[in-house]
Every structure is written in structure tokens, then in C-alpha cells.
Amino acid sequence: MSTDTQRLLLIDGHSLAYRAFYALPAENFSTSTGQTTNAVYGFVSMLINVLADEEPTHIAVAFDLGRQTFRLAEYPEYKAGRAKTPDEFHGQVELIKDVLKALAIPVVVKEGFEADDVLATLACQGAAAGMEAGIVTGDKDAYQLASDSITILYPKRGVSDLTRMTPAAVEEKYGVTPANYRGIAALVGEKADNLPGVPGVGEKTAAKWLTKYGDLPNVIEAADEIGGKVGGSLREHLGEVERNYRLNQLITDLELDVSVADTRRGEVDREALDDLFDQLEFQVLGRRLEALLGSTTEERPSADIPEPRLLSAAEFTSWLQAVDAEAPVGIATDAQFALGLGTVDSIGLAQHDDVVATDLSRLDESGVDALSRLLAEHAHLTFHGAKAQLKALVQAGYPMPWLETDTEIAAYLVVPDQRAYELTDLCTRYCGFSPGQTEPEEGTLDLALGGADAALRALGRNAWSTVQLAAALRAILADAKMVGVLDEIDMPMVTILAQMELSGIAVDLTALQGLIDEFGAQAADSAEAAYAAIGHEVNLGSPKQLQAVLFDELQMPKTKRTKTGYTTDADALADLLVKTGHPFLEHLLAHRDSIKLKQTVVGLHRMVADDGRIHTSYLQTVAATGRLSSVDPNLQNIPVRTDAGRRIRDVFVPEQGAGFSELLTADYSQIEMRIMAHLSGDESLIAAFRAGEDLHSYVGARVFGVGVDEVTAEMRSKVKAMSYGLVYGLSAYGLSRQLQIGVDEARELMDGYFERFGAVKAYLDSSVENARSVGYTETMYGRRRYLPQLTSDRRQVREMAERAALNAPIQGSAADIMKIAMIRVDAALREAQLKSRVLLQVHDEIVVELAAEEYAQVAALIRSTMGGAAALSVPLDVNIGHGPTWQQAGH
DNA sequence: ATTGCAGCAA
DNA sequence: ACGTTGCTGCAATC
């Protein structure tokens, strides 16, 4: 960009704010006073980026004004059918205008016109005055304005990534000139504006026609000579197309209160801006803006990343030998891991501002030694998403590193309910710079053009970035007193999980194949019987087709509504079976059972690796409470409640012929209720656990006012359901439905419980109230979960948050205790030089592969370690079993 | 490719 | 509207 050209930046405020609102999760952007700020954050973040990128000399933001526009007047259905914008959005537009005012950026509106018309007018005026104009808008109609002097900056995904739509880019994407883009839009239609186009005509067909006939009026004129089905379709919809064409034309000659000269950048009101950002609690964003406004050179933040050096094998070795043992080292690799096998080809390393990268395959022996020593001995290694990389490195022959910080996990601890923790996003958010593209652009040309080197440099940048990010996140965790959770619980877990996943668990393939055949045959039989019962075939797996059979064909009474019709879930079907006695239902239910089992065993079979074992992956940053989750396959939901289901657990066995003899399972009994007893301090409940009697009978005796041996099986099961339900925030209505009893009886049960265990109720209530006032819940070890929805005025949203607030400290403390136990078990097994190893974790249970002759020692070690993992006011009971399969090791 | 339903676990 | 936290597979929809 030449410095003497004047650059005009024009932004569609409403459309960008709206995109930001939906791109950023509202629950992660809310101030302590409850103001939602996601749209403001996204908008301002986009604004900062675009100011840095475009360096405009002139700038303006347009907003829509007035409900009545000329488009609506011509077509009353314009933009109809759009969902009502949520209340959380409107207030944020005002905040955005406040920010713009402080930044001295004029806001332009014109009654009866949309923001894009205003922008089009200003852009044309600017272009006429010899300026370069950029229009930031989420409305593609603006493409029609693209020219040598006007570029459209269209947000690709979210609001952070803007595509530059020049005339060439428009032509490349749509095959037509910007002027003809209107024709494409008119033919294809725009769903968001409720402007239907020609059915069957997409961008390709539209472009073909426009190229052939020149422009849309010519296409319309020639409509009669266009053959085929689409030709007919076009003739039928000419009216709509002409209307779309009129409506999507942007107005470029509005009379505005603001002229291009008025948009010259003015003096920023720093004080107002500081106040505003304080109020919005935008710390990082404030610093980013500060950096941008403060420096006259307006250096890009990403320019701060040191340029990575690509090293030869010899250079790499000497770099490693010169590493400072006291300073953090960032590591990033291109590791991939699937089905028990990993690959890692290249590595980036960073210490201080020295960033290097190399191909691992090129390393000679001394290079491998030096890297091994770094991994084994350095005390300050930082990764982002370490576990898969550790596994791949270990399989490549390197030692298992001791890692100080995994920035993905640190970011999870800071905000545990985010969907993704991408390094780039986190750097933008917490450090105010962006390491940029983490992987080279797709496409075969890249390799030829040095894509491999670019990929190496990206690894170097990632390695450096993760060190900066670790420092930023640790500072935040220190403020929240959560460094202990990071260092003592979640970091040590990473290597333990990596080892468990590398081990995997052996399966008996013959037995597994047997189950596939058996469950498959059962499913086929039930399906046949079901078809016979109604006289025709139907896809039993399709709720929609089942509804047709049950409610239309067989005229059965309607079940509970779902979004798309009536439920056909197992409860409802069982209910219908009682009411109608129709044999179809019986066979359908049997089919559901066996097809589900078959699906499960087929899924497991698919995941057996070449070593005959299943290597699940544990996810450490998914469950908002601190639990682990398991994928590929999920080994935390293997059936156990039915006999048929339990048989699946029989295919999990110890490794054959390697000195392993049995599997051992160890689980905490009623850990969540014990935690509830501890946290509430309820004397009765604590006494119940200390008595060591059957908990549900003990509680049942209290609730029903009878002796412990007078508690019937029915009473016990009711109490059991209620006790478990309490941990989840169960209501009387929910309890009544689950137990198939009246709401009154359920209410009496709950009242009875709370009367005898008063401190439990007090604890549950105060726990929610406390979370509402501070904004988060806490486990016994300080792991937080933020729940800003606790102050929502939408009842359903608020109550959902209340139940989450009730559950999170209990579920989360249990998860913490299990993690601590696993860390200590791992250490104790090592210490005692035992060969047995932990393979699986299922929330309150671990599965251990027992080396021959080690049962007694391992059982004792695990019982005492798990039982002593936390000091509660009640004992932590551990059940242990062992046997030749997972099923038989259970108890 | 995404959404909804259904069903498994703790 | 009415019980938390997860994952997977299928059908239907875009």
C-alpha cells in the first residue's frame, strides 16, 4: 500500500455484530454484573484486526435504521421468517456504538435504508475522490461493488477471518464480473432474506447463463430458448428473479449527513475508552487496542514472533546442547495418532526468542541422543495438546517426557466449558498476538513452493507461542488459586493417560466375532418377527417411519412430543405395549436391544489395532466438571446392566503370553454421595457411611421411619433413585416419572429425606446461591466452572444452570479424587517395581492388567492408595475384584 | 456436513 | 420444563 493514498474503511456494524453474536459462545463472554459481551468482543476484536491490517485514513460504521425500508415496501416478505433476535443482542449494539464514539469513528445511518446502501454510497464517493475503499460486511450483495478501488472484506468464518473480495476474487469464485454478481444472487436466491430463487439453479448454472447471454436482463429475454428442466423452472420463476434483481441492487447515491471528508480518523478519547473497557471487563482486548493506538509505527502484533530457523542435523544437535535448563522450552510436533499407531516427522522448538525447527528423520545418532536427553531431563517443557505428541514420540523411540505445562489443558482449566482450545485462538485471546496459520494452505503446489519449509516454520512459531501462552494462562490460574489443580492433578494425568492409551486393552477376537454374529442373528430374527406382525417391512431404525406405523397405520395413542413428532423411545414403547398389547412393539423393543448390542460390538471390532488391542483416547478437556471422556472407541459406556450386555465385557482380557494373568477392577463405592455427605457435613448421612451398613437401607429406614431390617426392596429402590437423583438436581416431578408414582408421593419422599438429612438440603441450596453470587462453582480442590446463566431471566436457562451448579462440585470433586488416586497408584506401582499396569478409567473405576503373582500386592496397594486419595469426613470405600475377563473381574 | 433421536455408561 | 456429565450410530435434512 502506498502511503499517500487515502484509504477509506467502511463497516456494516449490524451484520458484523450479529455474526460475532453467533460466532462466540455467549456464556464465555459475560461480565460479573451479568452483561453479555460476546458481540461487542467479537466486533471490537475484528475492528482491531482490520485497523491493523488496512491502516485506514478514513473510517465509518453504518447501521440499519428504521423497520420500513424500500425493499420491504416492494416485497412485504423481505427478510420474513427470521428468528427474532435475542434480547442479549440488542443491548450490545448500544455498547458497540459507545466504543465507536470513544474511538471517534462516525456512525452513519439513513432512515428507510440498510447499512449496505449507506456503505455503497460512501464507497462510491470515496472512489470518485481517488480513495481506496474497503467494505467489511457479511452481506454478499456487496460483491457487486467490487472494483479497482473498492474491495469487499467478507468474514469467512466467525468474524476474525476476512476474505478480500477483489474483482478478480469475485470472478474466480463465481465466474462472473462483480457487476454480474447481482444476476447470480437473483437467480440462486437468498434464503436469509427470504428471497427464493429458481429451484434447481445453483451458482454454476447461473454463471453459465450469465456468461452466455451477457447479463441478467439478457438471460430473462432469452428465457424461452433455454432448454431442459431448469429452463422451464426459470420461465416459471421469472417474476421472482426480476424482483430479486431489483431488491439486491445497492443504492449508491443516498443523501447522507456524513461526507467522506467527515470520516477522517479523529482523536481517540482514551479516558472514555478505558472506562468502557473496564466496564466490559475486556483486559486483553484493551491491551491489544492500546498497542495499536499507542505506536505510531503500528507494528502488527504477529511481527513479534521471532522468525524460525530451519536447522540441519548438526546445527540442531548443538542447539539442543546449548539449551538453558532453567528456562521454559516450547515444543510443537506434527504428530498424528490413530488405531494405536503414531507418526511424528518434524519438530519445532523454542527457548527465549530463539525458534528452530527440523525434520526428525534427518537426525543422526547424536541428534536423537540430545533430543532424548531434553525430553527426559528438562523440567520446563511446554506443549499444546501434549498427549498425542507424547505417544508418537514414545513410539518413535524417545523417552516419555515430564511436561510442565500443556497449554490446551491450562486453557481448559481457565474456561472448562469451551468447545475448542485452538492455539491460535488462545494466543489471540490471552496474549494479543496470532501465530497465524498453523498448517500450510492445502493444495499440492505448496510442497513444490516450499510448503514443507513453511510447515516447519509453523511448528517453530507454535512452539514459541505455547511458551508465551503458558505464562499468560499460569498468571490467570494463579489469580484463581488453581495452579495446584494444574500442577498436581491435570498435568501429571497427561503422561499417565498417554501410557494407558499406548498400552490399550487386549480383546479376545474370536469371542468378539462370536458376539457380532449372535447379536446380528438376534436382530435379524426380531426384525422378521416385527415385519410379520404388521404385514410389511419398515426401517426399524427410523423414528419417522416408526411413527407412521404406530400412530397412523395402527392408530396407537400418541406419546410425548419431540421436535419432529412423537417419541418412540423405549419407555414410550413399553407403555404402548401395556396399553395395546400389540406384538409389533415387543419385537421392535427386542430388535432395538440386539441391534444396539451388535452396533457396539461391531464398533469395538473396528477399533482393534494390529497388536490385538483396543487403544481408546481419553479426552481431558471436554467434560466441564473435570471428568475424563473416552473416544475411538468410548470404553466408558460398555454395557453392564443386562446379561447380554455384560457378555461384551467378557471379550476384554489380559495380554496372553506376556506374564499377565488376570484383570483387576477397583471402584469407589458411592463416591458422589460420600462427597455430598462430606461437603454438607450432614451428621446423619455421615453416620450412615461410618456405620458401614447398606446405605440405601439405612437411609430408607430414616425416611420411612422403620427399622433397617424392615426396609422392603421397594422402599430401598425408591430411596436409592432419590439419593442418586439429588446429586443431579432432581425435582419431585422427575422422581415421580422415574419411579412411576404420583407427584404427591414423590414430594412426600423428598420432604421426608430432607427432614432427616436437613444439612444436605441446606448445602445444596447454599451451593447454588454461592455460585450465583460469585459466578462459578468450585470442587474440593478449587477446580472452577463458570455458570453465568445462573442469573438469566429465562427460567429454563436459569434452572438448567442451577442443576449444573448443584452437580459440578460433586461430580468434579469425585473426578479430582480419582485423578489423584490414579497419579498415586501409578507412582506406587513404579515404586514397588510391579509389572501390573492401569489400562482403563471409567469415572469411579479403574481396570488393571495384573502381572502373574501380583494380585495380593496390587490389590492391597490400590485399596490403600485409592482409599487414601482424599481425607473426607466419611471413609472412601473401594471394591476390588479380579478375574480372567473384565466382566469376571467386576463384582 | 449438520441436526435430531435413541441408547449406553458413571 | 421438569436429572448431571459424556460418545456413537443412524436417518433425515441441508
Side-chain angles (χ1 to χ4, degrees), chain A residues 579-644:
Chain A
K579 284 184 182 145
T580 68
H582 201 291
F584 175 72
L585 294 166
E586 214 171 318
H587 301 305
L588 173 57
L589 282 164
H591 178 263
R592 281 260 176 90
D593 284 344
S594 20
I595 202 79
K596 172 78 181 175
L597 291 168
K598 187 197 162 198
Q599 206 179 272
T600 304
V601 284
V602 167
L604 289 175
H605 193 267
R606 254 203 305 265
M607 296 304 297
V608 178
D610 290 343
D611 60 0
R613 301 172 74 92
I614 293 180
H615 303 261
T616 184
S617 295
Y618 290 101
L619 304 184
Q620 222 181 325
T621 60
V622 167
T625 52
R627 272 190 178 184
L628 302 178
S629 75
S630 154
V631 294
D632 302 326
N634 181 357
L635 290 186
Q636 291 181 322
N637 72 342
I638 302 303
V640 71
R641 289 173 198 186
T642 65
D643 285 335

Side-chain angles (χ1 to χ4, degrees), chain A residues 154-209:
Chain A
Y154 183 80
K156 210 185 309 188
R157 191 175 37 128
V159 285
S160 53
D161 211 357
L162 299 177
T163 335
R164 298 185 71 85
M165 297 304 286
T166 57
V170 172
E171 287 211 51
E172 192 188 342
K173 180 141 191 233
Y174 297 97
V176 298
T177 59
N180 258 344
Y181 176 79
R182 279 178 59 208
I184 300 251
L187 287 164
V188 175
E190 175 56 69
K191 220 183 135 200
D193 292 342
N194 196 31
L195 293 173
V198 183
V201 172
E203 285 166 8
K204 289 274 180 288
T205 313
K208 196 177 75 189
W209 290 346

